[in-house]
C-alpha cells in the first residue's frame, strides 16, 4: 500500500518537503499565463490532455502530501 513517493517522504524533513512543494506551486503560478496562451487556446489533442493530466495530477499530489504531513504535526496544547 506504499506509494512511490513514500521513501521520499520518510527521508526528507517536513520543512524541506514543504519548500520543494512551494517551489513547484510557485513555478505553476508564474507559468500559468504561458499555459493559457499555448495550451488552453489550442484544439484539444492527446498531447494537450497528457500535458494537463501531468501538470494538474502532479500539483494535486504535491498539495495532498503537504496537507497530510501538516495534519500529522499539528499539536493542540491546552494549558
Amino acid at each position: 500500500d506504499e506509494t512511490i513517493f513514500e521513501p521520499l517522504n520518510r527521508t526528507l524533513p517536513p520543512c524541506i518537503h514543504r519548500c520543494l512543494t512551494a517551489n513547484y506551486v510557485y513555478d505553476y503560478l508564474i507559468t500559468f499565463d504561458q499555459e493559457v496562451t499555448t495550451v488552453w487556446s489550442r484544439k484539444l489533442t492527446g498531447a494537450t490532455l497528457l500535458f494537463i493530466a501531468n501538470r494538474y495530477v502532479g500539483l494535486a499530489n504535491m498539495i495532498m502530501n503537504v496537507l497530510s504531513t501538516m495534519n500529522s504535526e499539528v499539536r493542540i496544547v491546552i494549558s
Side-chain angles (χ1 to χ4, degrees):
D1 198 46
E2 183 176 281
T3 66
I4 59 171
F5 296 107
E6 197 64 35
L8 180 65
N9 290 340
R10 282 188 298 219
T11 58
L12 286 178
C15 60
I16 300 294
H17 195 258
R18 287 188 201 117
C19 289
L20 293 172
T21 302
N23 187 38
Y24 185 85
V25 171
Y26 175 73
D27 178 65
Y28 168 79
L29 292 174
I30 65 171
T31 58
F32 184 72
D33 59 337
Q34 295 171 349
E35 177 186 340
V36 168
T37 58
T38 59
V39 176
W40 293 104
S41 61
R42 305 176 99 192
K43 180 182 169 189
L44 201 60
T45 65
T48 55
L49 288 174
L50 185 62
F51 172 81
I52 291 167
N54 183 43
R55 182 134 164 122
Y56 289 99
V57 168
L59 180 65
N61 185 33
M62 294 283 282
I63 291 171
M64 295 303 284
N65 280 336
V66 168
L67 291 176
S68 69
T69 59
M70 289 176 73
N71 191 26
S72 66
E73 293 177 8
V74 172
R75 307 277 191 275
I76 299 175
V77 178
I78 301 173
S79 55

